[in-house]
Amino acid sequence: MGDRPAMNAEAIGRAVGRMAREIVERAGREAGDLAVVGIRRGGVHLAERLRAEIARATGTRPPLGTLDIALYRDDLAERGRAPVLGPTDIPFPVQGRTIVLVDDVLYTGRTVRAALDELVDFGRPRRVWLAVLVDRGGRELPIAADFAGATAAAAEGEDVLVRLVEGGAPEDVVVVRRRGS
Amino acid sequence: MIGRHRHCIALEDYSREEILEVLDLALSMKEVLRRPLKKVPTLRGKSVVNLFFESSTRTRSSFEIAAKVLSADALNWTSTGSSVSKGETLLDTARNLEAMRPDVIVVRHAASGAPAFLARHVKCSVVSAGDGAHEHPSQGLLDCFTIRERLGSLSGRTVAIVGDISHSRVARSDLHALGKLGAAVRVCGPPTMIPQGIERLGAQVFHDLQGAVAGADAVVMLRIQHERIGDPLIPGAREYSRLWGLNAWKAAEWLKPECLILHPGPINRGVELSSDVADGPRSVILDQVENGVAVRMAILYLLAGSGATGEGSAREKASA
Amino acid sequence: MSDTIFIEGGRVIDPANGLDAVRTVVIREGRVAEVAERVERTREAQVLDARGKWVTPGFVDLHVHLREPGQEYKETVASGARAAVSGGFTAVCAMANTVPPNDNATVTELVLARAAAAGLARVYPVGCVSRGQKGEDLAEYGELKAAGCVAVSDDGKPVQSAALMRRALEYALTFGLPLAVHEEEPQLAGTWSMNEGPVATRLGLKGCPPQAEEVMVLRDLALAELTGGRLHLQHISTAGGVRAVRDAKRRGLRITAEATPHHLTLTDEEVARSGYDTDFKMNPPLRGEADVRAVREALADGTLDCIATDHAPHAVEEKHLEFDAALNGILGLETAFAACLALVREGALSEKRLVEALTASAARCFGLPGGALGRGAPADVAVLDPALAWTCDPAALHSRSRNTPWKGRRLTGRCTHTLVGGRLVHELGGSR
């Protein structure tokens, strides 16, 4: 199929654990104000995992939210069909919290831009940290990851795909795939 | 509905899957309505024009709010009187409007087929907010949404629609949508109010209210217009209310405890519904109003939330 | 141009004279000189090659709206007469609902003058039943007959008052004028847009029940019986109407009746299928399957005497509206033959009966000359190609209006030549 493996299950597990510890460390005394929000769809399961790891480190489970950015996309005018919209659920007040925004792959930065716009419509967080499993470069906006599991080199015609067992994959893996194959 | 339909005019044209798609989308839209900041930028720069030839505050406002929550610009153009009496034809009015480049025209008209007629002659999307006795698609969808929200799936459910079926576009839209989602539909009213051939649309006909609502999971009560000059269908409101109106006693004796009561509004309190039933525990009438905005948001999003010409997008990144 | 025409090689179908065979028709000085198997061709004669075609008497249409005087933007006598001959019709009866209506000699004479000036199809004016078509007083049938009317009709509208209808039937007897009536009980019909039934229910349009026609037919048949008057029932479209007519004829009443090409071939389903297209809106409306079947059978067995188009032109701005607001009426002259020929192909009608219904039977209803090709008859002839396939393009029609339900359809059967009084007034693809 032409998939280039970039991370295996073990590497993914280590990366998530390491990111959780770094987040807790940077939060310091404000670790109690943490909340984790996963960007649909790729960031949802990762957000759950991060949240579990943070809970293991601090003893308290931070609240978990889900954000669907379809209504905030900047490329609607170019699309032929209105993008499928999934549920957004932010079951806690955003005000004053340190939000850890989670996505699987950081590429152009446009998804994160949309997620930030949507997030602040829910309230004014104290600060927002971006945590991604894979940073593949190729930014089109001035967005940077605060926490990244790994970097990956991928050309413009390639996709970096994160497959997790929660999503039905046989095992966790990150692959680089040539588009169109 | 995506791609295949440029307009939203008749639920008769939609498949079960397309209807479910709108309902699922409306669920997400409802969440937006519950946020502290009820605005998303999705339809920013798009315009929705309400072209209402029949007066209606509630439906028009509902579409207007739906447009505004999605950050679209909403304009109201109300016009009473038929196109013939006004001197300007329906087509001319719409074309003049179209020259101002709206993205969606929402039209309500007393003549069945008027939105379809418009849709053939304008380039933007047309949403019907009700045409004659033909259809009122957003109402049909929000009724399904409301019942589904409370009862789960509509498959295998029984829904009774009571009132002047022959003149009701709500009844027809409900009939199509509920049927496609797997519900058994009953219509009920005096024979003068049951139109010929309604069975062919999948409805079972009842003339007695008690029989119609026995075992029903939901009842949709329609507003009775008791002044029909030249062609009286009933002697008057009094007898209608006695035989086909729903009051607290009948609700307690004849309805399942979990049976939902719906009404498209405005209610003729004391005629088709007594106040205590309209405001009672089974009533989901106010839910219908909230759900109406969510459903209309979903419709506007599907029709206007993409490139205007509908041509395929060149870049759809798998992950950005 | 020579006065003598030989129409050779065509299948001559002349039911009035019991003829259906390949013959040569010889026309001299505007009349049929002879119809024979083999005729010696004279040198100066014009020859019309009719091989593979039908040669019939020119069609007679008892029911057309020519709109002149008063509504010339829809049609004029001249444009209507042109449309008529292109459809094979050599005689048409012009309905009286013009503006002003034809309840006096002046309007009658105007119509005749326009027809003469056009020099195409013969136009027989029809006068009003009631003055101004108001349904209150009788029009002056004596004056109308003297001026040239061949019948009286308030078509467009029914004659609401049974009392007036009775008097009209009686008074018309004086002049031997048939009463051509539009059968619709107005209170029962109400304000309607199409036939009442499952299709109207689905489309949310207000319907007119078939019984609105039947109720009025029964009333007028009883009045015909009472008065002995000459009743002609226009555009019968329902099984109930057919049943009543059959019954009345069996009882020996002197009544005649017509059916339109659209009521013979189209159902109310077309309104749904076309998406509320107003070119399927007319009065009486298109009916359900059972009614169409009954009308077809009735035409075939003679219960309904003849075919009449009810050609009703309307301008674009009168039809291009939401369904409820559009005017009732469709064109018929130029598509009648092809539409009805389909019935022959389906086995619902014989070729002979089709021609008879368009010619002799029609003429007989109003006592008009024509409809036959016997020796000495005026040479009103239609030459038709029953196999010619063509697409109906509204813009190419000779009528001033465009409201035809057959627009864009592929049709089979077309008139190629029409002669009126021995003059060639229409030639398909020719300079005419």
Side-chain angles (χ1 to χ4, degrees):
Chain A
M1 214 175 14
D3 286 355
R4 244 183 23 248
M7 285 174 87
N8 62 17
E10 208 202 318
I12 291 171
R14 277 203 312 270
V16 173
R18 176 176 53 74
M19 283 198 291
R21 286 190 298 278
E22 286 171 3
I23 289 168
V24 171
E25 192 181 316
R26 196 187 297 185
R29 272 169 303 156
E30 289 169 27
D33 292 335
L34 284 170
V36 182
V37 175
I39 301 177
R40 277 181 54 87
R41 291 181 297 162
V44 172
H45 298 306
L46 277 168
E48 282 160 6
R49 290 197 189 187
L50 261 179
R51 180 215 210 187
E53 292 292 324
I54 292 172
R56 196 169 304 157
T58 63
T60 339
R61 247 180 9 156
L64 178 68
T66 306
L67 212 54
D68 189 295
I69 57 131
L71 297 178
Y72 284 77
R73 296 182 70 111
D74 66 358
D75 62 349
L76 288 171
E78 289 158 24
R79 300 177 70 98
R81 300 142 64 106
V84 177
L85 174 63
T88 287
D89 185 21
I90 308 291
F92 55 86
V94 163
Q95 190 85 10
R97 286 223 179 239
T98 298
I99 308 281
V100 180
L101 200 54
V102 183
D103 206 358
D104 54 355
V105 178
L106 175 58
Y107 182 16
T108 62
R110 292 185 189 275
T111 297
V112 175
R113 196 261 343 141
L116 283 170
D117 279 349
E118 185 162 9
L119 193 58
V120 301
D121 278 352
F122 278 87
R124 189 176 189 277
R126 162 116 164 74
R127 56 191 165 206
V128 180
W129 288 336
L130 177 62
V132 298
L133 185 62
V134 181
D135 180 347
R136 62 169 284 187
R139 221 72 82 234
E140 291 173 1
L141 295 174
I143 303 258
D146 295 285
F147 307 92
T151 55
E156 202 185 302
E158 293 177 324
D159 291 325
V160 176
L161 303 169
V162 176
R163 296 273 178 265
L164 302 177
V165 296
E166 294 98 313
E171 54 175 11
D172 293 345
V173 70
V174 178
V175 298
V176 180
R177 174 181 298 171
R178 166 134 233 104
R179 204 171 292 147
S181 62
Chain B
M1 208 149 127
I2 287 181
R4 192 163 96 79
H5 299 278
R6 197 156 65 84
H7 310 287
C8 177
I9 290 173
L11 294 181
E12 193 183 1
D13 300 335
Y14 297 132
S15 69
R16 181 193 137 82
E17 289 67 39
E18 287 166 336
I19 292 177
L20 285 172
E21 188 173 16
V22 181
L23 298 185
D24 289 337
L25 184 53
L27 205 53
S28 300
M29 293 301 184
K30 190 166 177 176
E31 179 271 316
V32 174
L33 289 175
R34 295 269 171 97
R35 295 183 188 180
L37 204 150
K38 285 176 269 300
K39 214 163 183 68
V40 291
T42 323
L43 296 188
R44 200 168 57 102
K46 305 275 184 165
S47 57
V48 175
V49 177
N50 282 330
L51 181 57
F52 275 55
F53 290 92
E54 271 184 338
S55 67
S56 146
T57 321
R58 59 188 62 219
T59 306
R60 211 188 63 219
S61 307
S62 185
F63 271 106
E64 194 178 336
I65 293 172
K68 287 178 172 170
V69 172
L70 292 168
S71 294
D73 296 318
L75 170 76
N76 290 322
W77 183 302
T78 317
S79 181
T80 44
S82 77
S83 61
V84 177
S85 68
K86 222 175 76 76
E88 189 184 35
T89 65
L90 169 61
L91 197 49
D92 279 339
T93 305
R95 282 205 172 134
N96 281 322
L97 257 183
E98 197 195 14
M100 301 185 226
R101 303 217 172 284
D103 295 276
V104 181
I105 295 181
V106 177
V107 60
R108 168 173 283 197
H109 199 287
S112 304
F117 176 68
L118 265 190
R120 278 198 285 272
H121 296 100
V122 297
K123 291 193 267 311
C124 59
S125 289
V126 174
V127 176
S128 168
D131 62 327
H134 178 224
E135 286 225 34
H136 189 353
S138 59
Q139 183 74 41
L141 289 168
L142 78 88
D143 286 350
C144 288
F145 183 95
T146 305
I147 301 173
R148 196 169 169 250
E149 189 182 37
R150 292 294 191 111
L151 302 180
S153 155
L154 274 159
S155 184
R157 299 288 183 184
T158 299
V159 179
I161 308 175
V162 183
D164 186 356
I165 310 293
S166 62
H167 289 94
S168 172
R169 51 190 173 220
V170 174
R172 284 169 180 76
S173 284
D174 278 348
L175 191 41
H176 288 301
L178 289 166
K180 286 175 205 248
L181 295 180
V185 184
R186 302 172 179 168
V187 294
C188 176
T192 50
M193 289 180 167
I194 306 291
Q196 266 204 48
I198 195 79
E199 301 89 338
R200 291 203 203 176
L201 296 184
Q204 200 188 351
V205 176
F206 285 75
H207 295 304
D208 69 313
L209 182 64
Q210 185 176 4
V213 303
D217 299 287
V219 178
V220 180
M221 304 302 293
L222 300 175
R223 178 187 171 80
I224 292 304
Q225 185 184 329
H226 28 120
E227 325 79 37
R228 252 181 223 287
I229 302 151
D231 188 17
L233 304 176
I234 45 171
R238 199 169 82 114
E239 185 149 286
Y240 180 86
S241 174
R242 207 180 274 161
L243 292 166
W244 292 282
L246 202 53
N247 59 22
W249 183 89
K250 291 182 200 172
E253 293 289 314
W254 298 348
L255 298 181
K256 280 200 316 202
E258 329 81 65
C259 179
L260 303 173
I261 295 175
L262 295 86
H263 193 300
I267 304 169
N268 269 327
R269 283 170 184 269
V271 180
E272 64 262 8
L273 267 186
S274 65
S275 275
D276 43 10
V277 175
D279 303 326
R282 289 188 182 82
S283 164
V284 291
I285 295 173
L286 292 177
D287 288 2
Q288 284 177 279
V289 178
E290 181 184 4
N291 296 335
V293 180
V295 163
R296 289 166 179 132
M297 285 172 67
I299 294 171
L300 291 176
Y301 175 70
L302 285 168
L303 294 180
S306 63
T309 58
E311 279 155 21
S313 132
R315 337 170 335 134
E316 282 188 30
K317 297 234 153 104
S319 168
Chain C
M1 186 184 81
S2 162
D3 239 5
T4 309
I5 305 175
F6 278 63
I7 305 178
E8 291 180 346
R11 174 181 166 194
V12 177
I13 307 178
D14 182 12
N17 289 302
L19 181 62
D20 181 356
V22 174
R23 294 281 186 272
T24 296
V25 177
V26 183
I27 296 171
R28 275 201 195 92
E29 290 171 5
R31 292 190 177 270
V32 175
E34 66 184 297
V35 177
E37 267 190 79
R38 245 185 316 269
V39 188
E40 180 98 14
R41 212 195 273 176
T42 52
R43 216 158 34 106
E44 75 284 1
Q46 275 209 292
V47 176
L48 209 165
D49 181 1
R51 278 173 302 172
K53 298 187 185 165
W54 295 2
V55 178
T56 71
F59 299 156
V60 176
D61 193 343
L62 302 180
H63 193 154
V64 303
H65 296 271
L66 298 183
R67 307 299 190 200
E68 187 174 9
Q71 297 182 311
E72 292 82 359
Y73 63 95
K74 304 188 206 222
E75 193 84 284
T76 61
V77 173
S79 66
R82 183 67 190 87
V85 295
S86 90
F89 290 88
T90 54
V92 300
C93 297
M95 285 297 128
N97 60 338
T98 48
V99 180
N102 186 8
D103 63 4
N104 60 77
T106 316
V107 176
T108 305
E109 284 160 10
L110 174 85
V111 172
L112 286 168
R114 293 279 186 268
L120 299 165
R122 299 178 200 276
V123 177
Y124 296 104
V126 171
C128 301
V129 167
S130 62
R131 199 187 337 261
Q133 293 197 323
K134 292 216 177 88
E136 291 161 1
D137 308 306
L138 296 171
E140 292 171 300
Y141 299 169
E143 172 173 313
L144 288 169
K145 169 108 191 235
C149 285
V150 301
V152 290
S153 173
D154 271 357
D155 179 65
K157 298 184 234 178
V159 176
Q160 281 206 47
S161 159
L164 180 71
M165 184 66 188
R166 182 233 176 121
R167 295 305 177 206
L169 280 164
E170 288 173 337
Y171 189 56
L173 275 172
T174 319
F175 313 99
L177 286 170
L179 241 86
V181 284
H182 169 110
E183 302 294 47
E184 178 186 356
E185 208 298 304
Q187 250 78 48
L188 183 56
T191 327
W192 57 269
S193 292
M194 68 175 291
N195 182 43
E196 185 178 318
V199 180
T201 295
R202 219 169 87 218
L203 295 179
L205 287 172
K206 229 183 155 292
C208 155
Q211 281 72 16
E213 174 175 288
E214 188 180 353
V215 160
M216 210 60 147
V217 169
L218 288 166
R219 182 197 83 167
D220 290 346
L221 288 173
L223 294 175
E225 187 164 27
L226 173 63
T227 60
R230 218 171 132 192
L231 185 66
H232 175 80
L233 299 165
Q234 296 178 301
H235 45 49
I236 292 299
S237 65
T238 64
V242 160
R243 195 171 43 229
V245 172
R246 192 173 274 132
D247 197 61
K249 284 191 171 182
R250 206 177 288 142
R251 286 193 338 256
L253 285 192
R254 186 173 60 144
I255 53 156
T256 54
E258 67 187 42
T260 67
H262 48 279
H263 290 117
L264 287 162
T265 58
L266 303 172
T267 68
D268 56 3
E269 192 60 56
E270 295 284 344
V271 180
R273 198 199 45 80
S274 68
Y276 298 90
D277 190 331
T278 58
D279 284 338
F280 293 93
K281 184 181 183 191
M282 76 292 287
N283 187 357
L286 296 174
R287 304 283 187 187
E289 283 267 4
D291 290 308
V292 173
R293 224 180 0 252
V295 171
R296 285 190 191 194
E297 282 163 11
L299 182 70
D301 71 20
T303 300
L304 299 178
D305 298 76
C306 64
I307 295 169
T309 64
D310 195 2
H311 177 88
H314 287 299
V316 165
E317 59 269 13
E318 295 166 326
K319 287 297 250 184
H320 215 51
L321 298 168
E322 55 273 28
F323 203 82
D324 288 341
L327 292 184
N328 282 317
I330 56 164
L331 301 177
L333 286 167
E334 296 172 81
T335 48
F337 179 61
C340 295
L341 193 58
L343 294 170
V344 172
R345 279 199 303 277
E346 289 166 31
L349 200 62
S350 70
E351 288 156 334
K352 170 177 175 241
R353 179 65 190 129
L354 170 64
V355 175
E356 184 182 53
L358 286 166
T359 57
S361 297
R364 194 169 47 235
C365 288
F366 281 11
L368 300 174
L373 292 177
R375 191 172 304 181
D380 293 353
V381 185
V383 180
L384 313 137
D385 186 344
L388 181 57
W390 57 292
T391 304
C392 176
D393 174 12
L397 295 174
H398 290 99
S399 166
R400 267 200 187 177
S401 295
R402 301 274 165 267
N403 50 322
T404 168
W406 286 281
K407 59 193 172 199
R409 290 199 192 190
R410 198 96 181 112
L411 301 171
T412 306
R414 204 168 190 188
C415 173
T416 60
H417 302 80
T418 310
L419 297 97
V420 173
R423 283 176 307 114
L424 185 68
V425 291
H426 167 73
E427 186 178 358
L428 186 62
S431 55
R432 293 180 183 280

